[in-house]
Amino acid sequence: MEIYAMTSTRQASQASPPSEARTILLQLSGQVRQTREAFFASASPENVHALRGALRRAADGVWLLQAVLPAPDAAWLRRELRWQARRLGKARDLDVLSERLVAKHPYTGEFRPADLLIASARARREAVVERAKAELLSARAATLADSLEHVLLRALEAGEGRLQFDNVIVSCLSQADTAIRVGEKRVMALGRRGRHKLRGHVRTLRYNCEVCSNGSPAETQYVAALIALQTALGEMNDDAVCTGLRKSLTHCGDLDEVPGLEPSLHRTHRRELKRAWRALDALALPDFAQSQRSEASGSSPGLVSAAQPAAF
């Protein structure tokens, strides 16, 4: 997965010089702004995925910086960013089903059980996307969208100086790493809700490691292992999503025989999850705080490109 340094926003260039926390917040808010504009220009599956991911990244970035932000501001920001991300959840679920089926069933002009299911998913998606657009244009969403950078920086200014930023990184990433070290047997025994919760912890840790990474070999290996584990958990979540949707969408024939929906796929994904867990469990959390201390003055932390087909 390509890693790049985001260009500074106008506000960042006016800061003299920007703190690490300020730079991170400006990058994350910039991603939200750009992906939001792209979504309203075209609500393609890629743009839905990108906006949902940017909102989640911003919410997780606020979590990373909660020790240097006033508690009420941090709680409000996370709540509103996650609320907006959830507006896109149903559209993303339908895209997951369609993408999984289309990948296995390129259109040939013949009528097959999968074709009716794909058509039904796409028809429902149109209504779901229109509803999501209306909610993201509501007064509640506009309050955050119109002033996200201002609110983030105001909150940071109110809390800046409480702690050294490298101490914040050490504490938050260590807590997050500990939260996911639950043991292989427990991971493999988790049900859908448990896997979903674990995936949220992995996602938060991954996003914030990407933000703080300086690209050292240890950091790159650790982030790659997080991505693999998040992807494996995501595939199993997608299995459950597809199973639920196929019950409520119009279809015909035996869907258990449809590639992309066959029950054996879930067993394959369980094996992939076990491999991903073992790979991560063999690694220790790198010292991302050292990366921040070694950053050249005025440089920006690295971020993983939102344009890449990553798991969210």
Side-chain angles (χ1 to χ4, degrees), residues 94-105:
L94 290 163
D95 288 338
V96 164
L97 176 62
S98 295
E99 289 168 3
R100 179 177 284 195
L101 290 174
V102 170
K104 301 286 186 179
H105 301 270

Side-chain angles (χ1 to χ4, degrees), residues 19-147:
S19 68
E20 295 96 331
R22 184 181 300 271
T23 301
I24 288 172
L25 290 178
L26 286 171
Q27 290 177 330
L28 293 173
S29 63
Q31 279 193 344
V32 171
R33 183 181 63 254
Q34 293 165 11
T35 55
R36 180 182 169 87
E37 291 172 355
F39 168 74
F40 281 106
S42 171
S44 65
E46 295 78 14
N47 287 342
V48 168
H49 190 41
L51 176 56
R52 190 165 178 242
L55 290 164
R56 285 177 159 184
R57 283 178 182 274
D60 289 338
V62 172
W63 176 87
L64 175 68
L65 302 175
Q66 61 187 319
V68 295
L69 294 173
D73 288 342
W76 180 81
L77 285 165
R78 289 201 76 203
R79 183 177 66 250
E80 293 304 304
L81 287 163
R82 293 169 76 177
W83 177 82
Q84 291 196 29
R86 286 195 298 272
R87 302 311 98 192
L88 300 166
K90 291 182 179 180
R92 179 58 189 162
D93 285 350
L94 290 163
D95 288 338
V96 164
L97 176 62
S98 295
E99 289 168 3
R100 179 177 284 195
L101 290 174
V102 170
K104 301 286 186 179
H105 301 270
Y107 184 67
T108 61
E110 301 175 1
F111 181 80
R112 298 161 301 177
D115 294 327
L116 186 57
L117 188 61
I118 293 169
S120 180
R122 289 177 173 173
R124 181 177 295 183
R125 183 187 189 275
E126 292 181 9
V128 166
V129 166
E130 289 306 310
R131 189 179 308 119
K133 285 183 175 180
E135 290 176 318
L136 292 178
L137 288 172
S138 67
R140 175 177 179 176
T143 299
L144 185 64
D146 293 343
S147 57

Side-chain angles (χ1 to χ4, degrees), residues 147-169:
S147 57
L148 178 58
E149 290 183 5
H150 172 72
V151 172
L152 286 171
L153 294 179
R154 185 186 64 196
L156 182 60
E157 289 166 1
E160 210 161 21
R162 291 185 182 182
L163 295 169
Q164 290 293 320
F165 188 62
D166 55 358
N167 292 338
V168 173
I169 291 175

Side-chain angles (χ1 to χ4, degrees), residues 6-312:
M6 290 190 66
T7 56
S8 299
T9 63
R10 178 173 57 85
Q11 290 86 345
S13 65
Q14 291 172 347
S16 179
S19 68
E20 295 96 331
R22 184 181 300 271
T23 301
I24 288 172
L25 290 178
L26 286 171
Q27 290 177 330
L28 293 173
S29 63
Q31 279 193 344
V32 171
R33 183 181 63 254
Q34 293 165 11
T35 55
R36 180 182 169 87
E37 291 172 355
F39 168 74
F40 281 106
S42 171
S44 65
E46 295 78 14
N47 287 342
V48 168
H49 190 41
L51 176 56
R52 190 165 178 242
L55 290 164
R56 285 177 159 184
R57 283 178 182 274
D60 289 338
V62 172
W63 176 87
L64 175 68
L65 302 175
Q66 61 187 319
V68 295
L69 294 173
D73 288 342
W76 180 81
L77 285 165
R78 289 201 76 203
R79 183 177 66 250
E80 293 304 304
L81 287 163
R82 293 169 76 177
W83 177 82
Q84 291 196 29
R86 286 195 298 272
R87 302 311 98 192
L88 300 166
K90 291 182 179 180
R92 179 58 189 162
D93 285 350
L94 290 163
D95 288 338
V96 164
L97 176 62
S98 295
E99 289 168 3
R100 179 177 284 195
L101 290 174
V102 170
K104 301 286 186 179
H105 301 270
Y107 184 67
T108 61
E110 301 175 1
F111 181 80
R112 298 161 301 177
D115 294 327
L116 186 57
L117 188 61
I118 293 169
S120 180
R122 289 177 173 173
R124 181 177 295 183
R125 183 187 189 275
E126 292 181 9
V128 166
V129 166
E130 289 306 310
R131 189 179 308 119
K133 285 183 175 180
E135 290 176 318
L136 292 178
L137 288 172
S138 67
R140 175 177 179 176
T143 299
L144 185 64
D146 293 343
S147 57
L148 178 58
E149 290 183 5
H150 172 72
V151 172
L152 286 171
L153 294 179
R154 185 186 64 196
L156 182 60
E157 289 166 1
E160 210 161 21
R162 291 185 182 182
L163 295 169
Q164 290 293 320
F165 188 62
D166 55 358
N167 292 338
V168 173
I169 291 175
V170 169
S171 175
C172 289
L173 296 187
S174 178
Q175 289 176 32
D177 180 80
T178 300
I180 68 172
R181 305 279 182 172
V182 296
E184 180 180 323
K185 288 185 178 179
R186 185 176 174 186
V187 168
M188 299 311 299
L190 290 173
R192 179 182 178 182
R193 290 181 181 274
R195 288 193 301 268
H196 183 73
K197 185 176 181 180
L198 176 61
R199 186 174 180 235
H201 288 310
V202 173
R203 185 189 68 239
T204 295
L205 178 57
R206 170 206 161 185
Y207 287 172
N208 287 320
C209 286
E210 289 171 347
V211 165
C212 299
S213 175
N214 195 31
S216 73
E219 292 170 355
T220 300
Q221 184 182 20
Y222 181 79
V223 170
L226 287 174
I227 292 173
L229 179 56
Q230 183 186 351
T231 300
L233 288 164
E235 290 288 359
M236 293 192 71
N237 181 69
D238 291 350
D239 292 340
V241 166
C242 291
T243 297
L245 285 175
R246 58 185 270 184
K247 295 177 181 178
S248 63
L249 293 171
T250 303
H251 64 274
C252 65
D254 184 5
L255 293 181
D256 284 345
E257 301 299 322
V258 173
L261 297 180
E262 65 272 29
S264 62
L265 193 60
H266 191 69
R267 294 191 291 273
T268 299
H269 292 155
R270 279 185 60 84
R271 291 193 292 271
E272 292 171 353
L273 173 60
K274 182 179 288 189
R275 285 195 295 269
W277 170 259
R278 290 178 175 176
L280 176 66
D281 199 39
L283 302 176
L285 176 70
D287 184 3
F288 287 94
Q290 179 62 39
S291 296
Q292 294 298 311
R293 290 191 290 269
S294 64
E295 285 280 346
S297 177
S299 63
S300 299
L303 286 174
V304 170
S305 170
Q308 297 297 317
F312 285 108

